[in-house]
Amino acid sequence: MTEHFGARLAAAMDRHGPLCVGLDPHAHLLAAWGLPDTPEGLRSFSATVLEAVRGECAAIKPQSAFFERHGAAGVAVLEEVLAASRERGLLTVLDAKRGDIGSTMGAYAQAYLSDGAPLAADSVTLSPYLGYGSLRPAVDLARQTGRGVWVLGLTSNPEGAGVQLVGSPTVAARVLAEVAQDDAGLEPFGDVGVVVGATLDPDDLAAAGVDLAGAGAPVLAPGVGAQGAGAEDLARTFAGLTERVLVPVSRGVLAAGPAPADLRRQARELTAELRAALRR
């Protein structure tokens, strides 16, 4: 890959908008689609979604846990999803939230970020709560291979505040400062992104001492749809970050299935709504 991940992400969002379709094959969603809760059900579900939303979103975000729960056969389907996304020109955000130290973190990095790895994705989510420096093997390998990482910053779950808002400066502010340092000098933005919940508001960010506008990092903003955030929340929380916010939505798209035409229409309409909100 000749371009760094931030440049590739910027191009994808400029062309297709800020929508990232979450691939979360819950058992109840498979049942609603008339599919069995088996690896074959995962395979059929994933293939339908990928074909329906190609050209209608910037990225796909498979949630690793929903594939892992089926064991080796489910992980094999995840490998197929990542390969099929590459073939369709869809960037991938593998939602695995890995975090460890030393050689173990290095092994996670090789699994998800090295060329030729069966589970190689364009980017992967990481947890920094063993210390941001523990993520260095993944950050460095991502940069070497033109991939990216997304570091948990201010998440949308209420329990997160008990860790992320501790201290002065807060843990979240310190994580973002490290992210900003890694992204310094990269245009149009960096390859180390930060996860910030769309359910938050500007007062939450100010209280945490977080300056997203000045960080130079792309933002992965979960929480739209089932978790309660909407387009107005995006416009308020991420004002001034129009070109840097990638918005993962799962149930808000997948509930329109299983007909591919309905999935495609829902993705298209949601993309238009998100574009308009972020440009305000």
Side-chain angles (χ1 to χ4, degrees):
M1 299 177 185
T2 57
E3 289 184 302
H4 70 82
F5 175 72
R8 296 195 295 126
L9 177 63
M13 290 198 292
D14 182 63
R15 182 175 181 183
H16 299 296
L19 177 63
C20 172
V21 175
L23 203 59
D24 298 2
H26 298 263
H28 63 81
L29 182 58
L30 293 171
W33 279 35
L35 295 170
D37 186 19
T38 64
E40 279 306 314
L42 295 185
R43 182 172 285 111
S44 178
F45 171 86
S46 300
T48 298
V49 175
L50 291 183
E51 191 57 32
V53 303
R54 65 185 304 180
E56 304 295 344
C57 62
I60 290 286
K61 184 175 76 66
Q63 169 50 259
S64 185
F66 291 112
F67 295 86
E68 291 176 32
R69 69 191 182 91
H70 289 278
V75 174
V77 176
L78 179 56
E79 292 177 7
E80 294 171 15
V81 167
L82 294 168
S85 297
R86 284 193 295 272
E87 292 170 1
R88 288 165 171 77
L90 286 164
L91 290 180
T92 49
V93 177
L94 180 56
D95 198 351
K97 298 184 179 69
R98 297 297 190 243
D100 216 305
I101 61 172
S103 60
T104 307
M105 191 67 242
Y108 279 134
Q110 291 164 18
Y112 304 124
L113 299 166
S114 60
D115 292 332
L119 287 168
D122 291 293
S123 62
V124 64
T125 57
L126 301 176
S127 172
Y129 299 116
L130 288 174
Y132 183 86
S134 68
L135 305 181
R136 182 55 51 195
V139 173
D140 289 348
L141 184 57
R143 185 153 297 172
Q144 292 168 22
T145 61
R147 294 180 169 87
V149 300
W150 302 92
V151 179
L152 301 183
L154 279 170
T155 54
S156 55
N157 62 306
E159 303 89 347
V163 173
Q164 296 156 15
L165 298 184
V166 172
S168 180
T170 64
V171 171
R174 282 180 279 170
V175 167
L176 188 64
E178 299 263 24
V179 169
Q181 185 172 340
D182 270 326
D183 283 335
L186 292 177
E187 296 292 341
F189 45 75
D191 51 14
V192 181
V194 62
V195 180
V196 176
T199 52
L200 304 172
D201 62 39
D203 291 339
D204 295 322
L205 301 185
V210 168
D211 176 19
L212 291 178
V219 176
L220 186 67
V224 171
Q227 293 184 51
E232 293 296 330
D233 300 294
L234 283 174
R236 182 175 64 251
T237 302
F238 302 109
L241 298 173
T242 300
E243 77 287 356
R244 283 199 269 140
V245 180
L246 183 65
V247 185
V249 181
S250 178
R251 281 167 280 186
V253 175
L254 303 180
D262 293 337
L263 288 166
R264 189 174 300 112
R265 180 172 56 252
Q266 182 69 4
R268 186 174 299 157
E269 291 175 357
L270 188 53
T271 290
E273 183 181 357
L274 297 175
R275 274 190 193 270
L278 289 169
R279 285 176 174 168
R280 291 174 194 165

